[in-house]
Amino acid sequence: MSQATAIFNLFFFNPQGDYRFSWRHPEAPGKEIFSLKYYAELARKAEAATLDNIFIADHVAIWDTVPSGIPHYANPRLEPITLLAALAATTENIGLMATASTSYTEPYNLARYFASLDFLSEGRASWNVVTSWLPEEAANYGLDTLPEHGRRYERAAEFIDVVRKLWDSWEDDAVLIDKQTGYFADPERVHPLNHEGKFFKVRGPLNVPRPPQGHPIVVQAGSSESGKQLAAAQADIHFVFMSNIEKGLAYRADMDRRLRELGRSPAHFKILGGVLPVVVNTPEEKAQRQKLIQTLMNDQMALDLLSTYLRMDMGEYDPHAPLPEENGFDGLRTALQIIKGYDPALTVLELGRLLLQSSDSWLVIGTAQEVADTLSEAFIAGAVDGYNLMFPFLPVDFDNFIDQVAPILKKSGVMQQAYRPGTLREKLGLPPAVNQFSRK
């Protein structure tokens, strides 16, 4: 199976855009971010433009343990599976990707949620696996400290394995609903798991039949060593941060090696780069935008974000001096890699302001043609199979992309002009999910 065109996802980090201060933009939505109407309108636009998926990020806590948390950001958001279930009724083709944590729920719950979403959307569900890294999240689930990084990923690997077994616990033809014989299901085709592992003990079977896709698509984001190994072993799609084609090709080569070592075909594994596509038609427009960004940013939030990423209180350091030498930082692995890549002469405040502008993602800014050319070049070179479109400001940057960039990408053949038939798995060119319990 093949995916002839690049994958393009409308990505929600925050409801108003990818920046933590996006809510301050003059055209940003207000309390309507808690309404179905707001998301339904964006979903309809995305589907009209034949984007492949709506991808919703998530945390299970508010960011309230830092000074700027509640007054300047807070991080409130609707629960994504609930939201996407509602959007399933307002769309027909676009994929529905929901983030859900393996650290703070049980495999049976998530297997049932995503199987249900897959049925309600007629085969368009996708699960973005996260292990959760905020201490505030751990505190909401009875933990005094955040579980150790490697242990979170070890739990995630077993979690996904159990979920897939639960999805397979009903064979495709197990449901009979035969009114003449009185058989609702074939008992020989419904299987208990009797799983007993390090983290989970699950009897099964699931109380939902096998989903339309067999397995809703599994997405994984995280570029630490543990994250890459989990993606290679378990994911269909891997969401990565990249800043140029060379780095993207190197990352793909590394993942291809891991996939082959695990007996998987790289052709059945999609890599999506996170990109902030911004259309500015003149140098003056670009300058005005940067001036607005500088006005909207909050310096306390910048310091708080850097503190959160590094798990150190940056308030103890001079904000106008360079970051102190790394002394056992135990921060977010991907963020640490990014920060190490910055100019070491940057001050603490400058680093925080860069992170506040989502500088762990690739900013592609220019005219519509320049943005289209850059995205096309990386896809054609094989650095990525598509993109998570992380618009800094919603809906304005999204509208500019749809109106100006998408037509160029469609004309060149990089973006699909119509949806392929079938489930999301089929639309994206991913292989069928084989049921491990099916009789040979």
Side-chain angles (χ1 to χ4, degrees):
M1 305 176 75
S2 64
Q3 170 76 14
T5 55
I7 298 169
F8 289 92
N9 296 339
L10 170 57
F11 183 85
F12 288 95
F13 178 70
N14 301 300
Q16 305 97 331
D18 206 67
Y19 296 159
R20 286 167 177 81
F21 53 86
S22 296
W23 64 272
R24 296 191 65 196
H25 190 280
E27 298 179 40
K31 291 184 179 179
E32 59 265 40
I33 63 170
F34 304 115
S35 71
L36 176 58
K37 182 179 179 181
Y38 171 66
Y39 295 96
E41 179 60 26
L42 289 173
R44 282 190 286 267
K45 287 183 181 179
E47 189 164 72
T50 63
L51 268 61
D52 294 272
N53 299 282
I54 298 166
F55 189 152
I56 301 182
D58 192 39
H59 294 121
V60 287
I62 62 171
W63 198 41
D64 64 341
T65 57
V66 294
S68 68
I70 290 180
H72 301 302
Y73 179 53
N75 188 37
R77 57 194 64 224
L78 296 178
E79 192 284 313
I81 302 174
T82 306
L83 173 57
L84 291 178
L87 293 180
T90 67
T91 57
E92 294 182 359
N93 285 288
I94 198 164
L96 306 169
M97 293 183 169
T99 297
S101 175
T102 58
S103 296
Y104 306 123
T105 186
E106 292 292 319
Y108 198 96
N109 293 8
L110 281 193
R112 189 183 187 204
Y113 296 159
F114 281 98
S116 299
L117 180 60
D118 209 44
F119 274 108
L120 293 173
S121 64
E122 298 183 334
R124 294 186 280 140
S126 181
W127 171 28
N128 175 41
V129 177
V130 297
T131 63
S132 300
W133 60 274
L134 285 171
E136 293 92 336
E137 295 175 293
N140 284 337
Y141 291 86
L143 302 179
D144 295 326
T145 60
L146 187 71
E148 188 269 330
H149 182 268
R151 184 175 178 85
R152 297 202 310 270
Y153 276 91
E154 188 180 2
R155 174 186 165 103
E158 185 181 340
F159 193 114
I160 299 169
D161 180 56
V162 175
V163 167
R164 284 206 168 102
K165 288 178 180 177
L166 287 165
W167 286 336
D168 285 342
S169 60
W170 291 66
E171 295 183 39
D172 288 325
D173 53 358
V175 177
L176 302 175
I177 312 183
D178 189 326
K179 297 180 181 180
Q180 296 301 316
T181 65
Y183 273 86
F184 186 92
D186 183 346
E188 294 186 1
R189 295 181 183 272
V190 181
H191 307 275
L193 276 60
N194 296 318
H195 172 91
E196 293 191 34
K198 181 175 181 178
F199 297 93
F200 304 107
K201 183 178 180 180
V202 181
R203 178 184 178 272
L206 195 63
N207 63 342
V208 180
R210 196 164 192 250
Q213 293 185 90
H215 297 170
I217 291 171
V218 173
V219 184
Q220 190 274 339
S223 298
S224 66
E225 185 65 22
S226 298
K228 287 187 282 191
Q229 278 301 110
L230 179 65
Q234 298 277 19
D236 301 298
I237 296 175
H238 188 36
F239 172 29
V240 305
F241 298 117
M242 58 177 286
S243 55
N244 58 54
I245 293 175
E246 183 180 7
K247 290 182 179 179
L249 289 171
Y251 195 98
R252 180 181 287 282
D254 179 42
M255 292 306 299
D256 285 354
R257 174 187 60 80
R258 295 170 190 266
L259 290 161
R260 292 190 181 99
E261 288 175 353
L262 292 166
R264 296 188 63 192
S265 170
H268 299 158
F269 185 84
K270 307 294 185 182
I271 295 178
L272 304 184
V275 61
L276 282 75
V278 176
V279 178
V280 290
N281 294 310
T282 65
E284 292 76 19
E285 187 177 334
K286 183 176 181 180
Q288 290 171 0
R289 181 186 178 92
Q290 190 56 38
K291 183 179 179 180
L292 175 64
I293 287 173
Q294 295 299 320
T295 301
L296 300 180
M297 279 196 292
N298 178 285
D299 286 348
Q300 183 61 56
M301 192 191 298
L303 295 175
D304 289 343
L305 184 62
L306 186 61
S307 297
T308 298
Y309 276 10
L310 296 181
R311 300 205 177 106
M312 294 177 62
D313 183 3
M314 289 294 106
E316 298 179 1
Y317 299 94
D318 182 353
H320 304 294
L323 189 71
E325 289 293 322
E326 180 179 338
N327 293 314
F329 286 172
D330 186 32
L332 184 64
R333 299 302 196 275
T334 304
L336 286 174
Q337 294 169 11
I338 294 158
I339 292 168
K340 290 176 184 176
Y342 285 150
D343 183 347
L346 291 172
T347 68
V348 168
L349 181 57
E350 287 168 338
L351 282 171
R353 289 172 75 91
L354 281 173
L355 290 175
L356 204 55
Q357 295 176 74
S358 302
S359 288
D360 46 358
S361 301
W362 190 12
L363 175 64
V364 177
I365 184 168
T367 66
Q369 187 66 56
E370 289 169 340
V371 172
D373 288 347
T374 301
L375 299 183
S376 298
E377 184 181 8
F379 170 68
I380 293 169
V384 292
D385 296 298
Y387 299 98
N388 274 339
L389 302 173
M390 308 168 72
F391 297 106
F393 298 118
L394 289 171
V396 59
D397 287 331
F398 172 59
D399 289 342
N400 288 340
F401 184 91
I402 294 301
D403 294 340
Q404 300 179 51
V405 180
I408 299 173
L409 293 170
K410 290 181 179 183
K411 185 175 181 180
S412 67
V414 172
M415 179 183 283
Q416 65 182 356
Q417 298 193 37
Y419 287 105
R420 298 168 181 80
T423 65
L424 181 61
R425 181 171 290 276
E426 292 167 324
K427 292 178 192 295
L428 299 184
L430 292 167
V434 176
N435 191 323
Q436 56 199 292
F437 293 114
S438 293
R439 291 176 288 188
K440 307 299 183 184

